Amino acid sequence: MSEQELILRGTPISKGIGIGCPVFFSCFEEVTSPYFSVHKEVDEEIDRYRKALDLSRKDLENLQKNSLHSTEVHAILGTHLEIMKDPMITTGIEKKIRDTQQNTEWVFHHLIEEYKHRFNSLKDNFFKERIRDIVDISQRILGHLRRPGRLKMSEVPHNSVVCAQELVPSETIEANTSFVSAFITATGGLTSHAAIIARAKGIPYVANVDFKLLKNVSIHSIIVDGGSGIVILNPKKTTLKKYQEIKKTDQQNLNRLKNNTYLKGETIDGYEVRIYANLENPKEIESILKNGASGIGLFRSEYLCFAKKSFPTEEEQFEVYKKMVKLLRGKPLVVRIYDLGGEKKIQDIPEISEANPALGLRAIRLLKCYPHILETQLRAILRASKFGEIHVLIPLVTDISEFHYVRQKIEEMQLELKKEGQKFAKQIPLGCMIEVPSAALMTDCIAKEVDFLSIGTNDLIQYILAADRSNPHTSDLYQTMHPSVLRLIRSVVSHANAARKPLILCGEVATDPNLIPILLGFGISEFSVTPRFIPLVKDTIRKWRLLEACRLAEGALASSSAQELKEYLKQEINI
Ligand code: PEP
Ligand code: MG
């Protein structure tokens, strides 16, 4: 087992430096051997190991009792029982746990690997055969060592670098930033929800790392550079020092930006820009306001379902929305009705097999299939509307009929609530997300009817370029800087502005300092971003004059490819 410094490369997903110990999470357990990192009190670990040994011994004794008819099987099991008495398996492991302070699975796994290596290099077949017995026994013991249920994201120890086959949004949302230093995964896309959440939480993340390379390495620490996509296993002292310095500088820069929270979001020449927050977890609302947000521009309400692992009732939702608007004290709250389906699954909706989930039953399409779910949500939103300013946003609109459908449902629910004597605001603005090319191309017609629009570039890009936002194999094609993307955004903005309808851009592109001036130049004056990025977006806006931004945007539209656009920006703003 190598313990040397080893550098792996993956896709950079969430910027920042994370340093810590590996914690192998969820499906990764099945892919390689089950081992986690150091954390627990040593005595507790040893106790756990003794229990696993006891249970394994009992297994073998039971099997032996039941195999009296076969003397061979009986003899083999007898040998296994003998091996289990070997000091290597008993006191040897206990000593190692104590010496290394590492957890049992880790120590055990490595000892077995070492034995395998040693026995396999022997010429004598007898010894080679013995290793089979040891492997067999070790699997039994490891089976008993597995904790009941899977390790939960909320339970990982301090300084964990969570290594997983892939991350799903419902797990990622549970990550506690005081415990999780970084994520590395075998698969994952740049704008998958797990990625968005990692960025929202400021957890460095590198995806598409070749996990096979980890198999023969004994890892004691990992550095994850989420900006460059580099993962360093067992860093040397000098490497560690270098990355600790970078981490410190990053933190200083972040602190500097945080000082601008109370400054206005405006260009040098006084063009005012409102910056809202995208929110998944209602508990974070207070910290968002501290970041200087003008309100919540996108509340991804489906996360209420993930938190509860089923659909929240009307009452539960009402309480959440009410609390949110009250805390916002007059600032708007845009509730996007459930955007479920695709990568965001929940148990309450029967699993349907779809060849292309991103093109399938998602968001408003799914809600149309389950009207009672939509009705419950709308009733809760309407009831909360008397406590503050709430807007309703429809995700994944492809056709104006979907807007008509929701508007009709709102009217029905208003009638119902009125009959029940419930109070609600007279007006509840209703808007559409423009995140599908058909809607983008029809913005002039849609804008005439809606109260506001919201561009969801995360999805819009995947549908323009036909490149799944979560699929690592299409990550090269998923280009935020493709001129086709810019052209369509520009067209949507001009139609919204012509119809004098408010428009918020709420995709991840709004956090890219190179694209912000272009978006400003297109005439966008409202952005909604992951709260952590509000200071950065504001800082960028405050460095530009509107006229210069317009000139930059015009030039960008003339590019004929993503490469040309990048070169143009390099020349113009030194990216
Ligand atoms: C988007 O698609 O850009 C968006 C903001 O919505 P989500 O990322 O939740 O799909
Ligand atoms: Mg979307």
Side-chain angles (χ1 to χ4, degrees):
M1 282 259 165
S2 162
E3 286 197 20
Q4 280 184 351
E5 179 174 291
L6 182 68
I7 298 178
L8 309 177
R9 279 169 212 282
T11 311
I13 300 280
S14 173
K15 275 189 195 155
I17 307 294
I19 303 171
C21 303
V23 169
F24 293 90
F25 193 71
S26 64
C27 10
F28 190 77
E29 287 171 59
E30 274 79 54
V31 177
T32 67
S33 302
Y35 42 62
F36 316 114
S37 71
V38 196
H39 56 289
K40 284 262 174 174
E41 285 85 334
V42 171
D43 288 339
E44 220 175 281
E45 277 303 283
I46 290 178
D47 196 40
R48 210 158 62 79
Y49 181 60
R50 283 184 186 157
K51 280 189 186 133
L53 277 188
D54 259 0
L55 290 168
S56 306
R57 227 174 264 130
K58 279 189 189 127
D59 279 356
L60 290 171
E61 282 164 1
N62 284 338
L63 285 169
Q64 226 184 11
K65 259 190 233 152
N66 298 332
S67 68
L68 285 174
H69 57 283
S70 163
T71 43
E72 275 134 331
V73 174
H74 195 267
I76 291 170
L77 292 166
T79 315
H80 283 197
L81 276 164
E82 280 307 307
I83 294 175
M84 283 194 57
K85 288 185 199 148
D86 193 301
M88 159 200 117
I89 303 261
T90 54
T91 44
I93 298 271
E94 292 188 11
K95 183 169 181 311
K96 225 166 177 150
I97 296 172
R98 221 173 265 291
D99 290 350
T100 59
Q101 305 256 307
Q102 287 185 315
N103 74 306
T104 315
E105 288 89 339
W106 179 249
V107 170
F108 189 74
H109 171 78
H110 281 94
L111 191 91
I112 299 298
E113 288 298 304
E114 211 179 292
Y115 269 81
K116 262 203 248 172
H117 184 71
R118 240 194 269 164
F119 277 54
N120 276 335
S121 61
L122 297 173
K123 295 238 164 60
D124 193 322
N125 271 345
F126 171 79
F127 288 110
K128 282 197 176 164
E129 283 307 314
R130 286 290 63 79
I131 194 63
R132 294 225 176 102
D133 293 324
I134 293 177
V135 170
D136 196 351
I137 293 165
S138 73
Q139 272 162 359
R140 184 175 305 283
I141 300 171
L142 281 169
H144 283 298
L145 274 172
R146 269 186 205 125
R147 295 159 207 266
R150 285 190 334 175
L151 178 68
K152 290 200 184 103
M153 189 66 86
S154 54
E155 289 170 354
V156 301
H158 266 291
N159 288 329
S160 293
V161 171
V162 172
C163 310
Q165 183 64 23
E166 66 174 337
L167 288 174
V168 293
S170 49
E171 281 169 351
T172 321
I173 192 89
E174 286 182 15
N176 181 333
T177 48
S178 319
F179 294 86
V180 180
S181 304
F183 292 121
I184 57 173
T185 59
T187 62
L190 191 66
T191 57
S192 69
H193 265 251
I196 291 173
I197 296 164
R199 283 196 288 275
K201 289 176 176 264
I203 302 176
Y205 176 12
V206 175
N208 309 321
V209 173
D210 187 353
F211 275 40
K212 282 195 248 53
L213 300 172
L214 303 190
K215 263 197 146 177
N216 295 318
V217 188
S218 165
I219 315 164
H220 50 76
S221 64
I222 305 188
I223 295 176
V224 177
D225 180 350
S228 65
I230 286 177
V231 174
I232 307 171
L233 310 180
N234 301 332
K236 288 189 251 166
K237 266 194 188 151
T238 45
T239 315
L240 195 62
K241 198 154 175 253
K242 176 180 144 196
Y243 278 92
Q244 278 165 340
E245 284 298 319
I246 301 176
K247 197 171 152 93
K248 201 167 135 198
T249 315
D250 284 355
Q251 192 54 49
Q252 282 163 349
N253 288 339
L254 207 71
N255 292 345
R256 183 184 57 80
L257 285 180
K258 273 192 187 150
N259 293 334
N260 77 9
T261 18
Y262 297 101
L263 294 175
K264 258 184 156 177
E266 62 179 9
T267 57
I268 299 171
D269 45 352
Y271 175 70
E272 204 180 317
V273 178
R274 266 189 293 278
I275 309 165
Y276 300 91
N278 292 347
L279 184 77
E280 289 84 35
N281 183 353
K283 287 191 191 129
E284 283 169 17
I285 201 158
E286 278 168 282
S287 68
I288 280 169
L289 294 171
K290 277 193 208 126
N291 269 325
S294 300
I296 307 294
L298 173 71
F299 174 46
R300 293 181 162 111
S301 67
E302 59 276 9
Y303 280 78
L304 296 175
C305 310
F306 300 146
K308 207 192 155 203
K309 306 221 174 347
S310 66
F311 286 107
T313 62
E314 177 184 324
E315 218 46 42
E316 285 166 336
Q317 288 187 69
F318 166 66
E319 288 303 329
V320 174
Y321 304 141
K322 180 172 115 181
K323 194 164 172 204
M324 287 171 82
V325 276
K326 278 187 157 182
L327 284 170
L328 282 166
R329 280 189 227 101
K331 289 180 174 165
L333 164 67
V334 179
V335 179
R336 179 177 72 184
I337 50 177
Y338 297 144
D339 184 355
L340 287 163
E343 62 168 342
K344 290 184 273 182
K345 303 213 173 358
I346 82 157
Q347 288 155 359
D348 288 12
I349 296 179
E351 185 88 26
I352 38 163
S353 152
E354 293 182 294
N356 296 304
L359 303 181
L361 217 49
R362 227 195 95 180
I364 181 60
R365 304 165 182 193
L366 190 84
L367 290 172
K368 280 179 77 181
C369 290
Y370 298 95
H372 61 286
I373 293 170
L374 174 63
E375 287 163 9
T376 308
Q377 187 171 26
L378 291 175
R379 278 177 60 96
I381 296 173
L382 283 166
R383 284 174 55 203
S385 68
K386 75 169 182 187
F387 298 96
E389 194 184 331
I390 304 196
H391 301 209
V392 177
L393 180 61
I394 316 170
L396 212 80
V397 170
T398 9
D399 185 77
I400 190 70
S401 60
E402 289 155 336
F403 170 79
H404 294 153
Y405 178 83
V406 178
R407 192 172 59 188
Q408 166 86 26
K409 281 280 166 217
I410 291 181
E411 283 165 10
E412 285 171 22
M413 294 308 107
Q414 283 170 328
L415 218 65
E416 248 183 46
L417 290 170
K418 212 169 174 179
K419 277 191 200 145
E420 293 167 22
Q422 305 255 30
K423 300 246 171 348
F424 49 89
K426 274 201 190 101
Q427 302 287 340
I428 186 130
L430 179 61
C432 288
M433 282 200 82
I434 303 292
E435 49 184 354
V436 173
S438 65
L441 292 163
M442 298 299 287
T443 307
D444 52 343
C445 302
I446 295 175
K448 281 186 198 139
E449 301 205 40
V450 299
D451 298 307
F452 70 101
L453 291 163
S454 173
I455 308 185
T457 49
N458 302 338
D459 277 311
L460 190 58
I461 295 169
Q462 82 166 339
Y463 295 123
I464 292 178
L465 296 167
D468 183 344
R469 62 194 264 193
S470 311
N471 182 344
H473 305 294
T474 53
S475 58
D476 287 352
L477 292 165
Y478 187 100
Q479 289 173 322
T480 42
M481 288 224 190
H482 200 279
S484 60
V485 173
L486 295 190
R487 286 182 187 202
L488 201 50
I489 295 177
R490 215 275 290 257
S491 154
V492 171
V493 179
S494 0
H495 287 301
N497 287 349
R500 297 188 181 281
K501 290 292 162 73
L503 174 135
I504 305 182
L505 188 137
C506 61
E508 293 292 292
V509 296
T511 58
D512 184 339
N514 305 312
L515 291 176
I516 291 170
I518 298 180
L519 300 170
L520 277 179
F522 287 166
I524 296 180
S525 59
E526 299 190 43
F527 295 101
S528 190
V529 296
T530 298
R532 272 187 70 249
F533 290 95
I534 293 177
L536 172 77
V537 176
K538 208 182 266 186
D539 190 59
T540 311
I541 289 166
R542 293 179 64 84
K543 284 181 181 150
W544 282 86
R545 281 178 203 283
L546 186 61
L547 259 176
E548 284 165 4
C550 291
R551 193 192 52 75
L552 186 83
E554 277 312 308
L557 284 173
S559 313
S560 60
S561 67
Q563 189 52 34
E564 209 178 298
L565 179 59
K566 272 185 206 149
E567 273 156 28
Y568 166 74
L569 290 179
K570 204 174 197 170
Q571 216 176 1
E572 295 290 315
I573 51 176
N574 285 326
I575 62 167

